Amino acid sequence: NAADDAKECIKLNPAFIKGYYRLIQALIEQKDWDGALGTVRQGLQLDGENSQLLKQLRIITQQKKKMDAAAKQAAAMSDARSANLAGSNKEESDEIRELQEQYVATNRELQIVNSNIQKSQREQKLADITLGEINKMTSGDDDGRNLYRGVGKMFMLSSRPEVLDHLKKSTADSKKDESDLIQKRVYLQKRINSQQQNLQELIKASR
């Protein structure tokens, strides 16, 4: 950009006054008044009578005074608002903070529910895959072949009907859990929308 090009010119030739002037112009465009003022002073050290640099010095100094005054006014207004909020609006502030905490807690609860829904769906998919593999291996309700099924962190040797019953029950339980969790997710999403709306209204009213 223009500022980088001007800096490179100054680096190559520190006595090149136009390089300082170009850098000042670029910094002014970026609203970097402190950087522009520092560059003017560097240029004036080389040529203290340069009319262009002296003009830029006056412009930047005036602009900085305006900026400083505006910053002080903004700080004073902010302090007044803070004092007002700490006084007459303290109850409103506490209500907003409490609602924000509830909103965060509900979002956290929704994330847990979504995670459990995904877990239930994975369990159902795994059970379906296992049933498919068992059907490939055996035929009929019971071919007399024993199979291993997971029990916690262990594996237990069980008959084919026992394994199938366990898988069917596990699938049914997972589907019920998923259905309950989906209903809870809908409820939480509605609560989040309500909390968000209430929070926006409170913040708007407190201004």
Side-chain angles (χ1 to χ4, degrees), residues 29-56:
E29 288 181 7
Q30 296 175 5
K31 308 297 182 185
D32 184 359
W33 303 107
D34 290 329
L37 182 59
T39 305
V40 168
R41 287 170 176 167
Q42 288 178 358
L44 288 173
Q45 287 178 357
L46 297 174
D47 185 358
E49 301 299 323
N50 187 283
S51 59
Q52 287 183 321
L53 292 180
L54 290 171
K55 182 180 178 180
Q56 292 298 328

Side-chain angles (χ1 to χ4, degrees), residues 175-197:
K175 286 182 178 179
K176 184 179 183 306
D177 289 343
E178 182 186 3
S179 177
D180 293 341
L181 288 166
I182 288 174
Q183 290 182 9
K184 187 173 183 180
R185 179 171 64 183
V186 171
Y187 163 74
L188 290 173
Q189 287 171 336
K190 288 181 180 178
R191 191 165 75 178
I192 285 172
N193 291 336
S194 176
Q195 289 172 339
Q196 190 174 31
Q197 184 177 355

Side-chain angles (χ1 to χ4, degrees), residues 33 38 151 171 174:
W33 303 107
V151 180
T171 300
S174 294

Side-chain angles (χ1 to χ4, degrees), residues 10-85:
I10 295 171
K11 183 179 179 181
L12 294 173
N13 185 2
F16 185 49
I17 293 296
K18 285 188 177 180
Y20 291 93
Y21 182 77
R22 291 172 185 171
L23 179 56
I24 292 164
Q25 291 293 100
L27 293 173
I28 288 174
E29 288 181 7
Q30 296 175 5
K31 308 297 182 185
D32 184 359
W33 303 107
D34 290 329
L37 182 59
T39 305
V40 168
R41 287 170 176 167
Q42 288 178 358
L44 288 173
Q45 287 178 357
L46 297 174
D47 185 358
E49 301 299 323
N50 187 283
S51 59
Q52 287 183 321
L53 292 180
L54 290 171
K55 182 180 178 180
Q56 292 298 328
L57 178 61
R58 288 192 298 271
I59 293 172
I60 294 168
T61 302
Q62 291 173 359
Q63 188 61 40
K64 271 186 62 62
K65 287 180 179 178
K66 291 179 182 179
M67 296 290 292
D68 291 342
K72 288 179 181 178
Q73 184 178 5
M77 291 175 64
S78 177
D79 291 342
R81 283 197 298 267
S82 297
N84 183 54
L85 186 62

Side-chain angles (χ1 to χ4, degrees), residues 6-180:
K7 288 177 182 178
E8 187 63 24
C9 287
I10 295 171
K11 183 179 179 181
L12 294 173
N13 185 2
F16 185 49
I17 293 296
K18 285 188 177 180
Y20 291 93
Y21 182 77
R22 291 172 185 171
L23 179 56
I24 292 164
Q25 291 293 100
L27 293 173
I28 288 174
E29 288 181 7
Q30 296 175 5
K31 308 297 182 185
D32 184 359
W33 303 107
D34 290 329
L37 182 59
T39 305
V40 168
R41 287 170 176 167
Q42 288 178 358
L44 288 173
Q45 287 178 357
L46 297 174
D47 185 358
E49 301 299 323
N50 187 283
S51 59
Q52 287 183 321
L53 292 180
L54 290 171
K55 182 180 178 180
Q56 292 298 328
L57 178 61
R58 288 192 298 271
I59 293 172
I60 294 168
T61 302
Q62 291 173 359
Q63 188 61 40
K64 271 186 62 62
K65 287 180 179 178
K66 291 179 182 179
M67 296 290 292
D68 291 342
K72 288 179 181 178
Q73 184 178 5
M77 291 175 64
S78 177
D79 291 342
R81 283 197 298 267
S82 297
N84 183 54
L85 186 62
S88 61
N89 291 336
K90 184 179 185 303
E91 185 177 342
E92 237 176 33
S93 176
D94 291 342
E95 190 175 355
I96 290 173
R97 184 170 58 254
E98 182 180 352
L99 191 54
Q100 286 174 330
E101 291 172 356
Q102 292 174 1
Y103 179 76
V104 170
T106 306
N107 268 285
R108 190 181 300 116
E109 189 175 355
L110 179 60
Q111 291 175 359
I112 294 172
V113 167
N114 283 330
S115 177
N116 287 335
I117 288 174
Q118 293 174 358
K119 178 183 176 183
S120 179
Q121 290 171 343
R122 286 196 300 269
E123 289 174 351
Q124 291 177 52
K125 185 175 181 181
L126 181 60
D128 289 340
I129 292 172
T130 304
L131 279 170
E133 292 299 319
I134 290 175
N135 288 331
K136 289 178 184 179
M137 292 167 52
T138 61
S139 62
D141 290 336
D142 188 4
D143 64 352
R145 183 182 303 183
N146 291 331
L147 303 170
Y148 284 98
R149 68 180 178 90
V151 180
K153 294 183 179 180
M154 301 173 59
F155 290 93
M156 180 181 294
L157 189 62
S158 306
S159 66
R160 182 174 182 274
E162 289 175 339
V163 173
L164 291 175
D165 287 344
H166 173 75
L167 287 172
K168 289 174 182 177
K169 184 177 182 304
S170 176
T171 300
D173 290 343
S174 294
K175 286 182 178 179
K176 184 179 183 306
D177 289 343
E178 182 186 3
S179 177
D180 293 341

